[in-house]
Amino acid sequence: MKKTWMLRQLIQSKKMAFIMEAHNGLSAKIVQESGFKGIWASGLSMSAAMGVRDNNEASWTQVMDVLEFMSDATSIPILLDGDTGYGNFNNARRLVKKLEQRQIAGVCIEDKMFPKTNSFINAESQPLADIDEFCGKIKSMKDAQMDEDFVVVARVEAFITGRGQEEAFKRAEHYRQSGADAILIHSKRSDISEIESFMKEWGDRLPIVVVPTTYYKTPTSRLQELGVSLVIWANHNLRASIEAMQRISSQILQDANLLRVEGSVAPLEEVFRLQDAEELKLAEQRYLPFL
Ligand code: SPV
Ligand code: MG
């Protein structure tokens, strides 16, 4: 089954779906094994894992290299957080071409300016993209895709930057008319009032994607009632790994031995299993002479 088709089904199905953040080949594989049907290649998480900021400090080809490992390690679809498309329409349409070559199922672009800043940092002072310019970008991406099922999600940052419902709705509607396959409506509030008012007005014009990082206390059943199509758990593997690595590193430093940590980390056998070391053993028996 094509990954693009699988992502399209997740977004278009009546049943609300969930995708989970990954930021490298290993975390992508773990997301798949845990049972998720799709992966969010988070810009925040990939940049943090590379040791840089979520401000397009990593080049788009460096992001592409990470994606290639994630895609090779998995068979479920990946939705890339493509930030602003890394430039103007021309950069964004070339991005689509290169993503398709690596079997990435879709990309989400946000209506901010390059270089972007994470939505939870100085949100109110972040400039938004010009609507017509952003619409041209969406059109160029849809025109560039070779696979009809490749998904382009347009992300509306109006609420994030302190603008209201009217601006959010106007932008979403323009992006819909420009050919976006879904709208990601983002909010930094700890309640879902913005998402709620948007959904009530939006109806079922186009599938809606949300990222409940800050309004996680809202039961997900409420999002389903409102008609949300796709929920992104955006950064929790990264945050889990930070906490685990900080704990283990300081404990080993303090103890100068491994006695207290050995039982609380994954056994080496688990690392080898995740790398599929067994397959290489079998291949060697088949292909290497004199074994
Ligand atoms: C990301 O995961 O990088 C996102 C979601 O874009 S957020 O961090 O909420 O902006
Ligand atoms: Mg991001």
Side-chain angles (χ1 to χ4, degrees), residues 40 42-44 54 81 83 110 116 118 155:
W40 170 244
S42 155
L44 172 64
D54 190 11
D81 171 7
D83 294 340
E110 61 199 52
K116 57 68 62 79
N118 186 270
R155 167 167 160 179

Tab-separated table of all heavy atoms in Angstrom, residues 40 42-44 54 81 83 110 116 118 155, ligand 2:
chain	number	residue	atom	x	y	z
A	40	TRP	N	4.487	11.987	12.772
A	40	TRP	CA	4.688	13.435	12.594
A	40	TRP	C	6.188	13.690	12.679
A	40	TRP	O	6.804	13.484	13.731
A	40	TRP	CB	3.952	14.191	13.696
A	40	TRP	CG	4.217	15.665	13.828
A	40	TRP	CD1	4.797	16.298	14.899
A	40	TRP	CD2	3.850	16.721	12.928
A	40	TRP	NE1	4.822	17.660	14.700
A	40	TRP	CE2	4.246	17.952	13.490
A	40	TRP	CE3	3.218	16.738	11.672
A	40	TRP	CZ2	4.046	19.189	12.870
A	40	TRP	CZ3	3.014	17.964	11.044
A	40	TRP	CH2	3.428	19.166	11.633
A	42	SER	N	8.374	16.079	13.344
A	42	SER	CA	8.267	17.401	13.971
A	42	SER	C	9.507	18.250	13.745
A	42	SER	O	10.636	17.806	14.007
A	42	SER	CB	8.051	17.184	15.480
A	42	SER	OG	8.485	18.312	16.214
A	43	GLY	N	9.307	19.483	13.322
A	43	GLY	CA	10.425	20.404	13.150
A	43	GLY	C	11.104	20.707	14.474
A	43	GLY	O	12.338	20.762	14.563
A	44	LEU	N	10.275	20.900	15.509
A	44	LEU	CA	10.839	21.163	16.830
A	44	LEU	C	11.715	19.991	17.273
A	44	LEU	O	12.851	20.165	17.710
A	44	LEU	CB	9.708	21.394	17.847
A	44	LEU	CG	10.156	21.499	19.308
A	44	LEU	CD1	11.048	22.715	19.522
A	44	LEU	CD2	8.963	21.539	20.244
A	54	ASP	N	14.634	25.635	16.710
A	54	ASP	CA	13.536	25.460	15.749
A	54	ASP	C	13.369	26.762	14.953
A	54	ASP	O	12.308	27.367	14.944
A	54	ASP	CB	12.255	25.099	16.525
A	54	ASP	CG	11.127	24.659	15.598
A	54	ASP	OD1	11.380	24.433	14.403
A	54	ASP	OD2	9.981	24.550	16.085
A	81	ASP	N	6.606	18.082	9.039
A	81	ASP	CA	6.406	19.474	9.449
A	81	ASP	C	7.391	20.286	8.607
A	81	ASP	O	8.560	20.408	8.955
A	81	ASP	CB	6.708	19.584	10.950
A	81	ASP	CG	6.739	21.016	11.441
A	81	ASP	OD1	6.393	21.921	10.658
A	81	ASP	OD2	7.115	21.214	12.613
A	83	ASP	N	7.662	23.397	8.050
A	83	ASP	CA	7.804	24.818	8.419
A	83	ASP	C	7.134	25.713	7.368
A	83	ASP	O	5.973	25.527	7.067
A	83	ASP	CB	9.278	25.184	8.632
A	83	ASP	CG	9.872	24.446	9.844
A	83	ASP	OD1	9.089	23.991	10.688
A	83	ASP	OD2	11.099	24.319	9.932
A	110	GLU	N	3.335	26.142	7.133
A	110	GLU	CA	2.659	27.126	7.988
A	110	GLU	C	2.801	28.528	7.406
A	110	GLU	O	3.790	28.831	6.738
A	110	GLU	CB	3.219	27.060	9.416
A	110	GLU	CG	4.701	27.372	9.544
A	110	GLU	CD	5.304	26.870	10.851
A	110	GLU	OE1	5.134	25.680	11.183
A	110	GLU	OE2	5.968	27.676	11.534
A	116	LYS	N	11.453	30.612	10.299
A	116	LYS	CA	10.354	30.604	11.266
A	116	LYS	C	10.878	30.505	12.705
A	116	LYS	O	12.054	30.208	12.950
A	116	LYS	CB	9.373	29.480	10.951
A	116	LYS	CG	9.917	28.054	10.882
A	116	LYS	CD	10.407	27.426	12.185
A	116	LYS	CE	9.353	27.270	13.227
A	116	LYS	NZ	8.475	26.124	13.013
A	118	ASN	N	9.459	28.782	16.535
A	118	ASN	CA	8.446	27.884	17.090
A	118	ASN	C	7.238	28.677	17.592
A	118	ASN	O	7.384	29.783	18.125
A	118	ASN	CB	9.050	27.040	18.226
A	118	ASN	CG	8.065	26.006	18.730
A	118	ASN	OD1	7.287	26.267	19.644
A	118	ASN	ND2	8.060	24.849	18.111
A	155	ARG	N	-1.182	25.133	7.337
A	155	ARG	CA	-1.300	25.420	8.770
A	155	ARG	C	-1.558	26.900	9.017
A	155	ARG	O	-0.798	27.751	8.561
A	155	ARG	CB	-0.019	24.962	9.451
A	155	ARG	CG	0.172	25.444	10.871
A	155	ARG	CD	1.293	24.647	11.502
A	155	ARG	NE	1.881	25.282	12.651
A	155	ARG	CZ	2.873	24.753	13.373
A	155	ARG	NH1	3.374	23.575	13.022
A	155	ARG	NH2	3.354	25.387	14.398
B	2	MG	MG	7.199	22.854	13.827
